[in-house]
């Protein structure tokens, strides 16, 4: 199983209806199979997510944030991991807003390693 604890990620791709961008950074924590994270940057003032790490390393979580328009938004996401040749993790994400739009999208986040 992949351990996400202490890993940092940045968005590298997102559909137009998403609010996460290359300026949005995520800091993951993991306790057992429980995943949590905080995120901010770009359109996002402050966000949190909570979910489950499945046995295959995939993620299922809910997210909520406040954007720069001072609007609270939230949704659900399923992420499939890929281990890159340099050992970093790339997550292919399928998500859906759980507000009035109910729109869906896809994004990719990659692990950032600070030396």
């Amino acid at each position: 199983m992949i351990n996400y604890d202490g890993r940092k990620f940045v968005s590298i791709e997102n559909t137009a209806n998403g609010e996460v961008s290359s300026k949005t950074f995520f800091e993951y924590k993991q306790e057992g199979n429980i995943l949590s994270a905080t995120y901010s940057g770009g359109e996002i003032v402050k966000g949190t997510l909570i979910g489950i790490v499945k046995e295959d390393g995939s993620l299922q979580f809910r997210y909520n944030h406040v954007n720069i328009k001072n609007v609270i938004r939230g949704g659900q996401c399923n992420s499939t991991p890929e281990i890159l040749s340099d050992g970093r993790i790339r997550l292919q994400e399928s998500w859906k807003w759980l507000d009035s739009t109910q729109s869906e999208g896809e994004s990719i986040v990659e692990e950032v390693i600070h030396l």
Side-chain angles (χ1 to χ4, degrees):
M1 182 191 300
I2 297 172
N3 187 336
Y4 291 91
D5 192 52
R7 296 183 187 255
K8 295 180 167 89
F9 293 84
V10 65
S11 176
I12 62 165
E13 194 174 303
N14 202 0
T15 46
N17 59 331
E19 293 188 342
V20 167
S21 71
S22 63
K23 296 177 182 173
T24 310
F25 289 86
F26 298 80
E27 294 193 28
Y28 282 49
K29 290 185 171 51
Q30 184 176 335
E31 298 174 46
N33 69 331
I34 305 297
L35 178 79
S36 62
T38 57
Y39 60 101
S40 62
E43 297 285 309
I44 311 297
V45 176
K46 186 173 182 72
T48 61
L49 64 84
I50 185 87
I52 301 289
V53 180
K54 297 184 179 180
E55 285 189 21
D56 63 1
S58 65
L59 307 176
Q60 182 177 20
F61 60 83
R62 299 276 175 103
Y63 57 89
N64 286 285
H65 63 249
V66 176
N67 64 24
I68 59 173
K69 297 175 184 170
N70 214 32
V71 175
I72 302 167
R73 298 205 69 195
Q76 63 188 22
C77 182
N78 291 303
S79 298
T80 304
E82 171 189 352
I83 306 300
L84 301 174
S85 60
D86 62 5
R88 292 180 304 124
I89 300 169
R90 173 184 288 158
L91 294 169
Q92 304 275 347
E93 302 186 319
S94 296
W95 49 265
K96 178 179 181 179
W97 290 112
L98 295 177
D99 57 18
S100 60
T101 70
Q102 294 287 302
S103 64
E104 298 181 19
E106 295 185 353
S107 56
I108 300 172
V109 298
E110 281 189 2
E111 186 176 3
V112 177
I113 297 176
H114 295 288
L115 300 175

